[in-house]
Amino acid sequence: MFEALPEQGVSGAQILGELGELRRADLPTHGGRLFAYVYDPALDGLDELAQAAYAISAHVNGLDPTAFPSLLAMENALVGAAARLLGGDAQTVGSVTSGGTESLILAVKAARDSRPELATPRLVIPSTAHAAFAKAAHYLRVALDVVPVGADLRADPEAMAAAITADTVLVVGSAPSYAHGVVDPIPRLAAIAAERGVRFHVDACFGGWVLPYLKRLGADLPPFDLSVPGVTSISVDLHKYAYAPKGVSILLHRTEELRLPQYFAFAGWPGYTMINPIVSSTRSGGPIAAAVATLRHIGDAGYLELARSTQDAVSTLAAAVTDTDGVRLFAPPEASVVCLAADPGVDIFVLADELAARGWHTQPQMSFGDLPATIHLTVTAAVAPTAKEFAADLAAAVVATRDRGPAQLPAPLLEAAGALTPEMITPQLVAGLAEGLGLGGGDFTQMAAVNSLLDAVPPALREALLTGFLSLLQRPSQSTE
Ligand SMILES: *Cc1c(COP(=O)(O)O)cnc(C)c1O
């Protein structure tokens, strides 16, 4: 590893070479074979355009819009575009945030702070809602009421209604859920919340920029946006299906009054009066300018075409799953996710490794309650040209998976893990476990055994183990000079 603070500065050419070299260890962000983390429209020149726009505004500070009106203008343009796409009207307002998690934290904060009289404000979510709501509840000390979804993996309106109490400040639905890619019954949920006088947030972080286009293409999807009565806020990540570089999401509120408690203001110190609409204070204009460039370059017609490619890719991948003996679709592929489960005799985690060995990087999802472990594919437009190659590789991967049998863990390791509790996890223990599982060398291509172990242990232990492992990875590098 290079020295981040060398004695003497290093030439730009050398540094760029080093960074390029580092990036070679990463999963491929282009090429339509990575089904999580990245969103690729595969449009020639778009990266270069976004980078140039980013560079123009990289040093602009969002802290003070009177000092940098360019940023305010770009933010208002993005919020306006999102409002028009997502059923807003002249009353709609919003904020540009750094990502989906921040948008959700702020939706929860606005709801919490609109009810300052409550000692224990509560948040009602379906069990398929994104983990960021748990994080928001944790950060903001809001109690979390998790309601099991129905057999169709969608929020159950009756059960959600029953979970609402006088202390509930916000009810949530997903459009669609990340794990399974299915849309909750937003109109019914929003009506239930409205009847009880409670705010209702639609988490369209994932799908907010593709669902409207899929609907235009004729997809059979329920109404999910601000046009639905009772929806008080909605979030959409521009760094997902708007294909902007990372660091931009939008939170829309139906009215300015609903947004107001989202703001933080503080004049009680000797420095500048701080008025922050979002979590960060100083922030770069780079991601915002890059998002503006991306939206303007692709345009509405472009997004419709990208949604068409995405839809084609989803159909091709879903058909491959349906036609392959040993795997099955776990959720209806109604939006831009293909989620598959394995039949007995096919270990889902081994399958994920076998797919990776064939160049398809998928996202394994652990079992949860009654739900089995699954493989998640986030499908973007870049997948369309490669999708037809998937069927043959999936079939071969399933055969190889059957041949290999379930992931084998050394019996003593399994036994030891079975006796662990979260309180027992120490850095030493995690380091030993990582070594025993072959993770010491930084090679994460054979993950079936690790995933099986993590899947077998209770969620709280999984959290503790992975926290320990991440902490193990995050060690300052030693000086090389
Ligand atoms: C990605 C996602 C989030 C969180 O967004 P980040 O940008 O990763 O912080 C929230 N909700 C859903 C449905 C998502 O897919």
Side-chain angles (χ1 to χ4, degrees):
M1 191 46 209
F2 53 71
E3 172 62 57
L5 181 62
E7 172 87 33
Q8 299 293 328
V10 172
S11 79
Q14 180 181 333
I15 295 163
L16 293 181
E18 291 163 351
L19 295 181
E21 187 58 33
L22 262 188
R23 284 278 285 103
R24 293 188 348 160
D26 294 344
L27 292 176
T29 54
H30 290 297
R33 287 171 159 265
L34 172 53
F35 292 102
Y37 313 115
V38 300
Y39 297 77
D40 182 12
L43 294 176
D44 279 346
L46 185 66
D47 276 1
E48 292 74 13
L49 172 68
Q51 285 156 19
Y54 194 108
I56 290 173
S57 296
H59 292 283
V60 168
N61 191 342
L63 180 61
D64 183 350
T66 65
F68 301 106
S70 69
L71 201 55
L72 181 66
M74 289 190 291
E75 289 192 334
N76 285 341
L78 291 176
V79 170
R84 284 185 284 281
L85 187 66
L86 295 173
D89 58 23
Q91 305 299 307
T92 308
V93 295
S95 298
V96 178
T97 74
S98 65
T101 300
E102 187 178 3
S103 291
L104 299 183
I105 288 173
L106 290 169
V108 175
K109 182 206 181 296
R112 183 197 68 174
D113 290 355
S114 70
R115 305 279 305 277
E117 75 285 3
L118 296 179
T120 307
R122 310 190 73 89
L123 170 61
V124 173
I125 64 168
S127 54
T128 48
H130 195 277
F133 286 109
K135 181 171 171 178
H138 178 78
Y139 276 22
L140 297 167
R141 289 187 184 267
V142 170
L144 190 61
D145 295 313
V146 181
V147 180
V149 294
D152 59 357
L153 303 170
R154 298 174 210 272
D156 171 349
E158 276 74 49
M160 294 283 285
I164 298 174
T165 72
D167 290 338
T168 303
V169 297
L170 186 66
V171 178
V172 165
S174 309
S177 63
Y178 178 80
H180 307 125
V182 300
V183 182
D184 284 331
I186 302 298
R188 286 187 63 198
L189 296 171
I192 287 165
E195 195 178 301
R196 305 285 291 272
V198 179
R199 290 179 181 225
F200 183 78
H201 181 81
V202 176
D203 180 5
C205 283
F206 183 76
W209 218 269
V210 68
L211 290 187
Y213 295 102
L214 292 175
K215 289 185 80 151
R216 272 195 230 169
L217 292 170
D220 181 20
L221 295 164
F224 71 94
D225 61 16
L226 284 168
S227 65
V228 177
V231 172
T232 53
S233 58
I234 185 168
S235 49
V236 56
D237 293 351
L238 300 189
H239 60 208
K240 289 180 179 160
Y241 284 95
Y243 297 113
K246 302 280 183 273
V248 190
S249 169
I250 288 179
L251 171 60
L252 297 175
H253 293 274
R254 182 176 286 283
T255 65
E256 192 166 8
E257 189 193 353
L258 288 162
R259 180 179 65 178
L260 210 53
Q262 177 192 314
Y263 283 48
F264 176 79
F266 192 70
W269 73 307
Y272 55 88
T273 300
M274 198 168 81
I275 314 290
N276 287 157
I278 64 167
V279 175
S280 26
S281 201
T282 287
R283 62 200 160 109
S284 172
I288 292 161
V292 168
T294 304
L295 262 63
R296 279 188 59 71
H297 190 61
I298 295 177
D300 193 60
Y303 283 113
L304 188 65
E305 277 319 301
L306 291 170
R308 199 191 304 277
S309 300
T310 303
Q311 199 175 41
D312 288 348
V314 166
S315 304
T316 306
L317 297 171
V321 173
T322 307
D323 294 346
T324 304
D325 219 27
V327 288
R328 62 197 148 86
L329 286 175
F330 187 67
E334 66 189 28
S336 58
V337 170
V338 175
C339 180
L340 57 123
D343 294 340
V346 177
D347 183 306
I348 194 92
F349 299 122
V350 174
L351 178 61
D353 281 358
E354 288 294 332
L355 284 169
R358 290 164 177 77
W360 302 97
H361 305 283
T362 64
Q363 192 167 51
Q365 302 184 131
M366 305 280 149
S367 54
F368 172 78
D370 299 340
L371 307 182
T374 52
I375 284 178
H376 166 110
L377 310 180
T378 286
V379 183
T380 59
V383 178
T386 48
K388 52 190 174 306
E389 298 161 29
F390 184 71
D393 282 336
L394 176 63
V398 170
V399 169
T401 300
R402 276 197 213 278
D403 289 350
R404 268 175 64 182
Q408 296 294 334
L409 283 166
L413 197 71
L414 259 184
E415 217 165 284
L420 287 175
T421 61
E423 300 72 38
M424 294 160 72
I425 306 303
T426 62
Q428 291 75 15
L429 188 145
V430 173
L433 209 55
E435 214 44 58
L437 286 165
L439 297 174
D443 175 5
F444 305 128
T445 54
Q446 297 293 317
M447 296 300 284
V450 177
N451 284 330
S452 301
L453 176 71
L454 292 171
D455 191 51
V457 303
L461 182 56
R462 191 193 308 156
E463 290 164 4
L465 287 169
L466 286 173
T467 299
F469 184 60
L470 187 59
S471 180
L472 185 69
L473 293 178
Q474 296 189 313
R475 296 283 168 86
S477 48
Q478 302 303 310
S479 173
T480 52
E481 307 208 334

